[in-house]
Amino acid sequence: SARAVSAGHTAERIGYFTDAVFAIAMTLLVIEIPRPDSKYFSTSGGVSKSEAVSRLWHFLLAQRPSFYAYLLAFYILWIVWREHHALLDQVEQVSGPIIGLHFPLLLLAAFLPYATTIMGHYADNPLADLLFGLVVGVIFICRSAIQSRADRDAVLRPHVDRRAFHNEVV
């Protein structure tokens, strides 16, 4: 017989909210990549097409650190989002502590675009890399803590191999 799930404690509900935060964070990552918004890149004013192409190419090349930071952060969020879904697919309900652990996870996922912008704009500054690394590290710690807590709180679906699940946590 299935256990009664308290209101607000369904894995689906927390999954939907997590999806929304991750989707917004992944979208915000691209917002801070500098855009060419000058007539300098246009063919107006007697600028040849080859000169406009060259100017735009050099501008885009100069944005390499921002593009790299975007790609890296998007990939990290993608990994955490996929792992989180795999975890929630095995959970029957979420306990209060699991809900609580989502706060820092989602707080930092939403903050990652800012840390990514700092790293992308100041790629030569070690503090920018440290900020990014700390945010990513704590995101992974939160995700692991959620899985560990699901193991401890006995909220897994009946068909889940608890030994395999526990071994993934360790």
Side-chain angles (χ1 to χ4, degrees):
S1 73
R3 290 187 276 186
V5 178
S6 302
H9 288 249
T10 64
E12 292 80 16
R13 194 80 193 132
I14 196 84
Y16 296 148
F17 184 62
T18 302
D19 286 350
V21 172
F22 273 71
I24 292 167
M26 292 167 107
T27 302
L28 289 176
L29 288 171
V30 77
I31 299 294
E32 292 296 324
I33 296 175
R35 286 161 177 64
D37 61 357
S38 167
K39 290 187 179 194
Y40 178 76
F41 303 109
S42 143
T43 58
S44 63
V47 175
S48 70
K49 286 184 180 180
S50 64
E51 180 61 24
V53 166
S54 177
R55 289 176 179 179
L56 184 56
W57 176 250
H58 284 77
F59 173 83
L60 293 172
L61 280 178
Q63 305 315 314
R64 283 187 320 269
S66 291
F67 288 123
Y68 169 75
Y70 164 74
L71 179 65
L72 181 61
F74 192 96
Y75 185 63
I76 288 166
L77 287 176
W78 172 261
I79 290 169
V80 174
W81 176 77
R82 288 296 306 142
E83 287 182 349
H84 189 265
H85 268 277
L87 167 74
L88 289 182
D89 286 345
Q90 299 177 74
V91 171
E92 189 169 45
Q93 66 179 349
V94 289
S95 65
I98 291 173
I99 292 171
L101 286 168
H102 276 81
F103 179 81
L105 173 74
L106 298 178
L107 179 77
L108 290 169
F111 184 74
L112 188 60
Y114 179 78
T116 302
T117 297
I118 300 298
M119 187 175 82
H121 288 214
Y122 305 103
D124 60 341
N125 189 319
L127 185 56
D129 294 338
L130 178 63
L131 175 65
F132 182 85
L134 287 173
V135 171
V136 168
V138 177
I139 286 172
F140 278 113
I141 289 169
C142 289
R143 192 254 167 242
S144 294
I146 290 167
Q147 184 169 355
S148 178
R149 197 64 211 210
D151 185 36
R152 270 192 310 231
D153 290 352
V155 295
L156 300 178
R157 296 186 187 275
H159 71 277
V160 173
D161 179 349
R162 281 156 173 71
R163 176 172 284 149
F165 186 89
H166 178 77
N167 289 339
E168 287 179 18
V169 173
V170 179

